[in-house]
Structure formats: structure tokens, C-alpha cells
Amino acid sequence: MIAAIYTIPKRFELMRALKDKIKPSVDEVRIFMDGDYRGNWWNHQRTLSEMLPLAKKDEPVLIMTDDVTTVPDWRERWEKIHEAAGSEIYCLFTRKRHLFKEENLKRGFVTGVHLRGFYDQATIYINRPSLINDVIKWFNETGKQTKPFLPPLEKRGNHLDVVIQEYLVAHNIEWTVTVPTLFDHLQVGSSLGHDIGGSPLYIGNHEDLS
């Protein structure tokens, strides 16, 4: 497994703490620093464009924002989920409470097309080398002319994670959400000014669910 964190200079300490947690469980962690503050879209797209084609066949690629945390055995937990789910896209964090149903918690995951349920805080992609190119092509040719992007485009359409989500929904591409979540969003200000909040049920706070 290879991994990447995309970040900005003023969040260097957050990034370093996350890298220290992830590094023992992966072969490589790359840092994508937006030193000129070109924006979240630019850096997220750059990270996916460079990282996804690097992976070997069936090799997972973990992509993270800088403001998340996880448990030491996150990879072992994910691998057990992957054995059962067999998905190519995973969200290891979510805020959608309706996904935390008892049957999903017993299984440890839920797979489907989750409306407004894609979160970019910690995602894993497998065998998706052209995903971001496909997303951008769809958005420019079709997506931005359709709901929910019009009107107004400057809200949801300015956020790449939302565009990725709507691409998956439009193409009926399922993804798996881990429940409880294997990662949690730290209670720090979003670089985009969003108040995302933490996971409703993070495994680090609920070891009894192991």
C-alpha cells in the first residue's frame, strides 16, 4: 500500500503527526504540499493524478487530508473489511449517521451508492489509475451542466470531493464506507472554512466494537 497526505504549510505539524501514525503500516507516504496556497481542488487533484497511476495491480492507495487521525491497527482492520467487501473505493470516514445501522456495525462496513456520502478525509482506491481524469472529463463535458451543480456552480461544484461523489453517483459506482469509521476528523478549522465535525462513531473511541 502507498499513501499520500495533501496539506498546506500552516498545517505542517498536523501533517507530520498523521504521517508518523501512517508510516509504519504502508510502504511509502508522499506529502503534497500546496506551498503557494493554490487551493484544495488543485492539490487534491494533483495528489490523485500522481498517486493513482503509481499503484501496481490490486495495490491500495490511501489518500488523506492533513486533519485526520486513526488507530495503530487501522490497516489490519481495513484488510479484514476488504476481504469481505472486495471494493475498489473506500471511505474510512463519514458523518452520515444513517449508515451506522446495527447490521452495518456488525459487518463493519456498508457498500452502495451513498447520496452525499463521499468524504475525502481518508479514502482508499484500488485499480483506479484514471479515476480523476475520468471525473474531470465528465464534469467539464456533462457534470457542470446538470444538477446539483446548476444552480449555482460556485457552491458544491467548487469542491472536488463533491464532484468525485457526483461522478460516482452518476455512473452508479458503489463504494464502501467503514462503520465504525477507521479514521476521525480532528476538531480543527477546515482549510476551506467548513465545519465538518468528527465521526459519529470512531473506532478509536469505541474499542468495545472490535
Side-chain angles (χ1 to χ4, degrees):
M1 181 185 291
I2 55 177
I5 305 168
Y6 59 99
T7 187
I8 52 180
K10 67 181 181 181
R11 299 166 79 106
F12 180 83
E13 293 302 325
L14 282 175
M15 177 277 294
R16 186 168 64 178
L18 177 59
K19 182 181 179 182
D20 289 344
K21 288 185 176 182
I22 297 299
K23 192 173 180 180
S25 301
V26 298
D27 297 315
E28 178 184 11
V29 182
R30 295 196 179 193
I31 306 302
F32 289 79
M33 181 69 71
D34 182 7
D36 296 326
Y37 291 89
R38 299 187 187 185
N40 180 275
W41 179 300
W42 177 83
N43 207 19
H44 190 186
Q45 181 177 351
R46 175 174 76 123
T47 304
L48 292 171
S49 295
E50 293 191 26
M51 292 297 297
L52 298 187
L54 281 178
K56 305 179 185 70
K57 186 178 185 302
D58 299 328
E59 181 179 28
V61 183
L62 171 64
I63 307 293
M64 296 161 287
T65 59
D66 53 27
D67 53 358
V68 296
T69 190
T70 189
V71 290
D73 61 345
W74 66 269
R75 180 163 181 177
E76 290 79 6
R77 293 177 181 273
W78 173 78
E79 286 179 342
K80 289 180 181 178
I81 290 170
H82 182 49
E83 286 178 8
S87 295
E88 292 188 339
I89 301 174
Y90 291 85
C91 283
L92 311 184
F93 169 83
T94 185
R95 288 273 296 151
K96 296 304 178 186
R97 293 182 178 274
H98 71 275
L99 297 178
F100 294 84
K101 297 176 181 178
E102 184 176 354
E103 61 266 30
N104 297 338
L105 291 172
K106 287 181 179 179
R107 189 187 309 116
F109 66 91
V110 55
T111 300
V113 178
H114 313 287
L115 299 180
R116 296 203 176 191
F118 181 88
Y119 285 78
D120 66 340
Q121 276 71 26
T123 52
I124 287 178
Y125 302 92
I126 304 171
N127 298 327
R128 290 282 177 174
S130 67
L131 176 67
I132 192 58
N133 293 333
D134 297 339
V135 168
I136 298 301
K137 183 175 185 292
W138 166 80
F139 183 61
N140 289 332
E141 294 180 356
T142 304
K144 66 173 61 176
Q145 283 82 41
T146 61
K147 291 181 179 181
F149 300 116
L150 289 178
L153 190 62
E154 63 270 15
K155 288 188 177 180
R156 290 168 59 76
N158 272 355
H159 303 294
L160 183 56
D161 58 333
V162 174
V163 173
I164 294 172
Q165 171 187 270
E166 300 304 331
Y167 169 86
L168 298 176
V169 171
H171 293 82
N172 199 36
I173 298 173
E174 294 186 337
W175 67 95
T176 292
V177 179
T178 61
V179 290
T181 64
L182 300 185
F183 280 66
D184 199 10
H185 183 251
L186 299 173
Q187 301 303 296
V188 296
S190 165
S191 62
L192 292 174
H194 296 163
D195 183 16
I196 297 173
S199 165
L201 198 63
Y202 165 52
I203 190 62
N205 298 331
H206 294 274
E207 293 293 340
D208 56 305
L209 294 174
S210 298

